[in-house]
PDB file of all heavy atoms in Angstrom:
ATOM      1  N   LEU A 114     108.877 132.527  77.608  1.00 98.00           N
ATOM      2  CA  LEU A 114     108.107 132.984  76.450  1.00 98.00           C
ATOM      3  C   LEU A 114     107.660 134.434  76.553  1.00 98.00           C
ATOM      4  O   LEU A 114     107.479 135.098  75.534  1.00 98.00           O
ATOM      5  CB  LEU A 114     106.877 132.086  76.236  1.00 98.00           C
ATOM      6  CG  LEU A 114     107.132 130.579  76.132  1.00 98.00           C
ATOM      7  CD1 LEU A 114     105.841 129.845  75.774  1.00 98.00           C
ATOM      8  CD2 LEU A 114     108.210 130.265  75.099  1.00 98.00           C
ATOM      9  N   ILE A 146     101.697 133.034  69.712  1.00 98.00           N
ATOM     10  CA  ILE A 146     102.217 132.889  68.342  1.00 98.00           C
ATOM     11  C   ILE A 146     101.286 131.995  67.529  1.00 98.00           C
ATOM     12  O   ILE A 146     100.990 132.280  66.377  1.00 98.00           O
ATOM     13  CB  ILE A 146     103.687 132.363  68.331  1.00 98.00           C
ATOM     14  CG1 ILE A 146     104.264 132.364  66.901  1.00 98.00           C
ATOM     15  CG2 ILE A 146     103.812 130.972  68.941  1.00 98.00           C
ATOM     16  CD1 ILE A 146     105.780 132.168  66.824  1.00 98.00           C
ATOM     17  N   THR A 147     100.790 130.905  68.146  1.00 98.00           N
ATOM     18  CA  THR A 147     100.008 129.903  67.414  1.00 98.00           C
ATOM     19  C   THR A 147      98.636 130.439  67.010  1.00 98.00           C
ATOM     20  O   THR A 147      97.985 131.153  67.765  1.00 98.00           O
ATOM     21  CB  THR A 147      99.837 128.649  68.303  1.00 98.00           C
ATOM     22  OG1 THR A 147     101.133 128.210  68.687  1.00 98.00           O
ATOM     23  CG2 THR A 147      99.125 127.527  67.564  1.00 98.00           C
ATOM     24  N   GLY A 152     100.332 126.606  63.091  1.00 95.00           N
ATOM     25  CA  GLY A 152     100.826 125.845  64.242  1.00 95.00           C
ATOM     26  C   GLY A 152     102.307 125.595  64.057  1.00 95.00           C
ATOM     27  O   GLY A 152     103.139 126.446  64.366  1.00 95.00           O
ATOM     28  N   SER A 153     102.633 124.417  63.466  1.00 97.00           N
ATOM     29  CA  SER A 153     104.046 124.143  63.160  1.00 97.00           C
ATOM     30  C   SER A 153     104.594 125.173  62.188  1.00 97.00           C
ATOM     31  O   SER A 153     105.755 125.577  62.269  1.00 97.00           O
ATOM     32  CB  SER A 153     104.186 122.738  62.559  1.00 97.00           C
ATOM     33  OG  SER A 153     103.930 121.770  63.551  1.00 97.00           O
ATOM     34  N   ALA A 155     104.787 128.358  61.885  1.00 94.00           N
ATOM     35  CA  ALA A 155     104.583 129.583  62.671  1.00 94.00           C
ATOM     36  C   ALA A 155     104.633 130.836  61.797  1.00 94.00           C
ATOM     37  O   ALA A 155     104.042 131.863  62.135  1.00 94.00           O
ATOM     38  CB  ALA A 155     105.639 129.657  63.764  1.00 94.00           C
ATOM     39  N   THR A 179      99.120 129.322  76.665  1.00 98.00           N
ATOM     40  CA  THR A 179      99.377 128.973  78.065  1.00 98.00           C
ATOM     41  C   THR A 179      99.410 130.239  78.925  1.00 98.00           C
ATOM     42  O   THR A 179      99.985 131.245  78.515  1.00 98.00           O
ATOM     43  CB  THR A 179     100.734 128.232  78.170  1.00 98.00           C
ATOM     44  OG1 THR A 179     100.686 127.090  77.326  1.00 98.00           O
ATOM     45  CG2 THR A 179     101.021 127.808  79.606  1.00 98.00           C
ATOM     46  N   LYS A 201     109.584 138.119  57.054  1.00 96.00           N
ATOM     47  CA  LYS A 201     110.128 139.464  57.362  1.00 96.00           C
ATOM     48  C   LYS A 201     109.022 140.505  57.541  1.00 96.00           C
ATOM     49  O   LYS A 201     109.301 141.653  57.914  1.00 96.00           O
ATOM     50  CB  LYS A 201     111.096 139.906  56.266  1.00 96.00           C
ATOM     51  CG  LYS A 201     112.367 139.059  56.289  1.00 96.00           C
ATOM     52  CD  LYS A 201     113.475 139.575  55.443  1.00 96.00           C
ATOM     53  CE  LYS A 201     114.748 138.786  55.661  1.00 96.00           C
ATOM     54  NZ  LYS A 201     114.587 137.313  55.554  1.00 96.00           N
ATOM     55  N   PHE A 254     109.371 137.425  63.536  1.00 98.00           N
ATOM     56  CA  PHE A 254     109.506 135.970  63.345  1.00 98.00           C
ATOM     57  C   PHE A 254     110.786 135.471  63.997  1.00 98.00           C
ATOM     58  O   PHE A 254     110.797 134.473  64.708  1.00 98.00           O
ATOM     59  CB  PHE A 254     109.473 135.606  61.850  1.00 98.00           C
ATOM     60  CG  PHE A 254     109.461 134.116  61.624  1.00 98.00           C
ATOM     61  CD1 PHE A 254     108.301 133.380  61.822  1.00 98.00           C
ATOM     62  CD2 PHE A 254     110.616 133.444  61.228  1.00 98.00           C
ATOM     63  CE1 PHE A 254     108.295 131.989  61.638  1.00 98.00           C
ATOM     64  CE2 PHE A 254     110.616 132.062  61.043  1.00 98.00           C
ATOM     65  CZ  PHE A 254     109.450 131.334  61.244  1.00 98.00           C
ATOM     66  N   LYS A 255     111.865 136.216  63.768  1.00 98.00           N
ATOM     67  CA  LYS A 255     113.144 135.802  64.380  1.00 98.00           C
ATOM     68  C   LYS A 255     113.053 135.861  65.895  1.00 98.00           C
ATOM     69  O   LYS A 255     113.566 134.965  66.584  1.00 98.00           O
ATOM     70  CB  LYS A 255     114.294 136.692  63.883  1.00 98.00           C
ATOM     71  CG  LYS A 255     114.701 136.320  62.479  1.00 98.00           C
ATOM     72  CD  LYS A 255     115.995 136.956  62.047  1.00 98.00           C
ATOM     73  CE  LYS A 255     116.233 136.561  60.589  1.00 98.00           C
ATOM     74  NZ  LYS A 255     117.414 137.104  59.982  1.00 98.00           N
ATOM     75  N   MET A 258     111.240 132.819  66.965  1.00 98.00           N
ATOM     76  CA  MET A 258     112.080 131.609  66.885  1.00 98.00           C
ATOM     77  C   MET A 258     113.101 131.583  68.031  1.00 98.00           C
ATOM     78  O   MET A 258     113.378 130.540  68.617  1.00 98.00           O
ATOM     79  CB  MET A 258     112.812 131.555  65.543  1.00 98.00           C
ATOM     80  CG  MET A 258     111.924 131.293  64.335  1.00 98.00           C
ATOM     81  SD  MET A 258     111.059 129.706  64.417  1.00 98.00           S
ATOM     82  CE  MET A 258     109.408 130.233  64.837  1.00 98.00           C
ATOM     83  N   MET A 259     113.637 132.752  68.347  1.00 98.00           N
ATOM     84  CA  MET A 259     114.624 132.811  69.431  1.00 98.00           C
ATOM     85  C   MET A 259     113.954 132.570  70.791  1.00 98.00           C
ATOM     86  O   MET A 259     114.536 131.948  71.677  1.00 98.00           O
ATOM     87  CB  MET A 259     115.359 134.156  69.407  1.00 98.00           C
ATOM     88  CG  MET A 259     116.288 134.262  68.205  1.00 98.00           C
ATOM     89  SD  MET A 259     116.913 135.924  67.935  1.00 98.00           S
ATOM     90  CE  MET A 259     118.157 136.007  69.198  1.00 98.00           C
ATOM     91  N   LEU A 261     111.488 130.616  71.218  1.00 98.00           N
ATOM     92  CA  LEU A 261     111.254 129.161  71.298  1.00 98.00           C
ATOM     93  C   LEU A 261     112.553 128.392  71.532  1.00 98.00           C
ATOM     94  O   LEU A 261     112.543 127.362  72.212  1.00 98.00           O
ATOM     95  CB  LEU A 261     110.533 128.675  70.041  1.00 98.00           C
ATOM     96  CG  LEU A 261     109.085 129.176  69.949  1.00 98.00           C
ATOM     97  CD1 LEU A 261     108.512 128.963  68.555  1.00 98.00           C
ATOM     98  CD2 LEU A 261     108.199 128.490  70.981  1.00 98.00           C
ATOM     99  N   ASP A 262     113.672 128.898  71.025  1.00 98.00           N
ATOM    100  CA  ASP A 262     114.957 128.228  71.292  1.00 98.00           C
ATOM    101  C   ASP A 262     115.174 128.071  72.796  1.00 98.00           C
ATOM    102  O   ASP A 262     115.585 127.015  73.274  1.00 98.00           O
ATOM    103  CB  ASP A 262     116.126 129.035  70.707  1.00 98.00           C
ATOM    104  CG  ASP A 262     116.292 128.822  69.206  1.00 98.00           C
ATOM    105  OD1 ASP A 262     115.748 127.836  68.676  1.00 98.00           O
ATOM    106  OD2 ASP A 262     116.984 129.653  68.566  1.00 98.00           O
ATOM    107  N   ARG A 265     112.264 125.938  74.711  1.00 98.00           N
ATOM    108  CA  ARG A 265     112.361 124.474  74.581  1.00 98.00           C
ATOM    109  C   ARG A 265     113.193 123.865  75.696  1.00 98.00           C
ATOM    110  O   ARG A 265     112.937 122.729  76.105  1.00 98.00           O
ATOM    111  CB  ARG A 265     112.894 124.123  73.187  1.00 98.00           C
ATOM    112  CG  ARG A 265     111.818 124.377  72.142  1.00 98.00           C
ATOM    113  CD  ARG A 265     112.303 124.391  70.718  1.00 98.00           C
ATOM    114  NE  ARG A 265     111.174 124.734  69.835  1.00 98.00           N
ATOM    115  CZ  ARG A 265     111.287 125.204  68.606  1.00 98.00           C
ATOM    116  NH1 ARG A 265     112.485 125.405  68.080  1.00 98.00           N
ATOM    117  NH2 ARG A 265     110.208 125.489  67.893  1.00 98.00           N
ATOM    118  N   TYR A 384     103.929 120.607  72.382  1.00 98.00           N
ATOM    119  CA  TYR A 384     104.007 122.080  72.353  1.00 98.00           C
ATOM    120  C   TYR A 384     105.453 122.591  72.294  1.00 98.00           C
ATOM    121  O   TYR A 384     106.393 121.829  72.379  1.00 98.00           O
ATOM    122  CB  TYR A 384     103.175 122.755  73.428  1.00 98.00           C
ATOM    123  CG  TYR A 384     103.432 122.501  74.896  1.00 98.00           C
ATOM    124  CD1 TYR A 384     104.564 121.892  75.380  1.00 98.00           C
ATOM    125  CD2 TYR A 384     102.470 122.926  75.823  1.00 98.00           C
ATOM    126  CE1 TYR A 384     104.756 121.701  76.739  1.00 98.00           C
ATOM    127  CE2 TYR A 384     102.646 122.739  77.186  1.00 98.00           C
ATOM    128  CZ  TYR A 384     103.799 122.137  77.634  1.00 98.00           C
ATOM    129  OH  TYR A 384     103.980 121.954  78.965  1.00 98.00           O
ATOM    130  N   GLU A 385     105.526 123.897  72.061  1.00 98.00           N
ATOM    131  CA  GLU A 385     106.803 124.581  71.786  1.00 98.00           C
ATOM    132  C   GLU A 385     107.566 123.906  70.643  1.00 98.00           C
ATOM    133  O   GLU A 385     108.781 123.767  70.654  1.00 98.00           O
ATOM    134  CB  GLU A 385     107.637 124.728  73.058  1.00 98.00           C
ATOM    135  CG  GLU A 385     106.868 125.567  74.056  1.00 98.00           C
ATOM    136  CD  GLU A 385     107.687 126.443  74.947  1.00 98.00           C
ATOM    137  OE1 GLU A 385     108.868 126.666  74.665  1.00 98.00           O
ATOM    138  OE2 GLU A 385     107.113 126.924  75.928  1.00 98.00           O
ATOM    139  N   GLY A 386     106.767 123.462  69.663  1.00 97.00           N
ATOM    140  CA  GLY A 386     107.308 122.751  68.514  1.00 97.00           C
ATOM    141  C   GLY A 386     107.205 121.261  68.766  1.00 97.00           C
ATOM    142  O   GLY A 386     107.774 120.755  69.732  1.00 97.00           O
ATOM    143  N   ILE A 390     109.074 118.790  64.621  1.00 98.00           N
ATOM    144  CA  ILE A 390     109.682 120.103  64.317  1.00 98.00           C
ATOM    145  C   ILE A 390     111.067 120.223  64.961  1.00 98.00           C
ATOM    146  O   ILE A 390     111.992 120.806  64.380  1.00 98.00           O
ATOM    147  CB  ILE A 390     108.741 121.258  64.756  1.00 98.00           C
ATOM    148  CG1 ILE A 390     107.516 121.347  63.838  1.00 98.00           C
ATOM    149  CG2 ILE A 390     109.483 122.602  64.806  1.00 98.00           C
ATOM    150  CD1 ILE A 390     107.808 121.786  62.404  1.00 98.00           C
TER     151      ILE A 390
HETATM  152  N1  LIG B  17     116.835 132.053  65.588  1.00 93.82           N
HETATM  153  C1  LIG B  17     116.974 133.139  64.801  1.00 93.82           C
HETATM  154  N2  LIG B  17     116.484 133.191  63.522  1.00 93.82           N
HETATM  155  C2  LIG B  17     115.838 132.101  63.064  1.00 93.82           C
HETATM  156  C3  LIG B  17     115.670 130.939  63.847  1.00 93.82           C
HETATM  157  C4  LIG B  17     116.198 130.954  65.150  1.00 93.82           C
HETATM  158  N3  LIG B  17     116.081 129.891  65.948  1.00 93.82           N
HETATM  159  N4  LIG B  17     114.983 130.024  63.117  1.00 93.82           N
HETATM  160  C5  LIG B  17     114.738 130.586  61.932  1.00 93.82           C
HETATM  161  N5  LIG B  17     115.262 131.846  61.884  1.00 93.82           N
HETATM  162  C6  LIG B  17     115.253 132.782  60.786  1.00 93.82           C
HETATM  163  C7  LIG B  17     115.971 132.177  59.565  1.00 93.82           C
HETATM  164  O1  LIG B  17     117.345 132.412  59.628  1.00 93.82           O
HETATM  165  C8  LIG B  17     115.310 132.896  58.415  1.00 93.82           C
HETATM  166  O2  LIG B  17     115.889 134.177  58.293  1.00 93.82           O
HETATM  167  P1  LIG B  17     116.356 134.742  56.854  1.00 93.82           P
HETATM  168  O3  LIG B  17     115.084 134.794  56.029  1.00 93.82           O
HETATM  169  O4  LIG B  17     116.904 136.087  57.164  1.00 93.82           O
HETATM  170  O5  LIG B  17     117.346 133.782  56.307  1.00 93.82           O
HETATM  171  C9  LIG B  17     113.869 133.101  58.897  1.00 93.82           C
HETATM  172  O6  LIG B  17     113.905 133.013  60.327  1.00 93.82           O
HETATM  173  C10 LIG B  17     112.934 132.061  58.362  1.00 93.82           C
HETATM  174  O7  LIG B  17     113.472 130.787  58.724  1.00 93.82           O
HETATM  175  P2  LIG B  17     112.954 129.425  58.100  1.00 93.82           P
HETATM  176  O8  LIG B  17     112.853 129.572  56.605  1.00 93.82           O
HETATM  177  O9  LIG B  17     113.780 128.314  58.650  1.00 93.82           O
HETATM  178  O10 LIG B  17     111.479 129.365  58.684  1.00 93.82           O
HETATM  179  P3  LIG B  17     110.321 128.310  58.416  1.00 93.82           P
HETATM  180  O11 LIG B  17     109.108 129.054  58.040  1.00 93.82           O
HETATM  181  O12 LIG B  17     110.792 127.216  57.517  1.00 93.82           O
HETATM  182  O13 LIG B  17     110.046 127.715  59.896  1.00 93.82           O
HETATM  183  C11 LIG B  17     110.341 126.218  61.755  1.00 93.82           C
HETATM  184  C12 LIG B  17     110.996 127.053  60.632  1.00 93.82           C
HETATM  185  C13 LIG B  17     111.516 125.691  62.549  1.00 93.82           C
HETATM  186  C14 LIG B  17     109.515 125.076  61.202  1.00 93.82           C
HETATM  187  C15 LIG B  17     109.458 127.165  62.616  1.00 93.82           C
HETATM  188  O14 LIG B  17     108.300 127.564  61.936  1.00 93.82           O
HETATM  189  C16 LIG B  17     109.070 126.520  63.920  1.00 93.82           C
HETATM  190  O15 LIG B  17     109.830 126.515  64.878  1.00 93.82           O
HETATM  191  N6  LIG B  17     107.802 125.990  64.024  1.00 93.82           N
HETATM  192  C17 LIG B  17     107.298 125.480  65.280  1.00 93.82           C
HETATM  193  C18 LIG B  17     106.510 126.528  65.978  1.00 93.82           C
HETATM  194  C19 LIG B  17     106.449 126.297  67.447  1.00 93.82           C
HETATM  195  O16 LIG B  17     107.386 125.827  68.068  1.00 93.82           O
HETATM  196  N7  LIG B  17     105.330 126.687  68.054  1.00 93.82           N
HETATM  197  C20 LIG B  17     105.197 126.614  69.458  1.00 93.82           C
HETATM  198  C21 LIG B  17     104.132 127.531  69.930  1.00 93.82           C
HETATM  199  S1  LIG B  17     104.391 128.191  71.544  1.00 93.82           S
HETATM  200  C22 LIG B  17     103.949 126.982  72.613  1.00 93.82           C
HETATM  201  O17 LIG B  17     103.702 125.878  72.252  1.00 93.82           O
HETATM  202  C23 LIG B  17     103.981 127.414  74.029  1.00 93.82           C
HETATM  203  C24 LIG B  17     103.172 126.632  74.976  1.00 93.82           C
HETATM  204  O18 LIG B  17     102.092 126.198  74.707  1.00 93.82           O
HETATM  205  C25 LIG B  17     103.723 126.450  76.306  1.00 93.82           C
END
Side-chain angles (χ1 to χ4, degrees):
L114 307 186
I146 186 167
T147 304
S153 290
T179 303
K201 291 191 173 51
F254 186 76
K255 284 192 183 179
M258 290 299 105
M259 290 168 77
L261 291 166
D262 280 343
R265 287 166 184 160
Y384 60 14
E385 299 213 15
I390 289 292

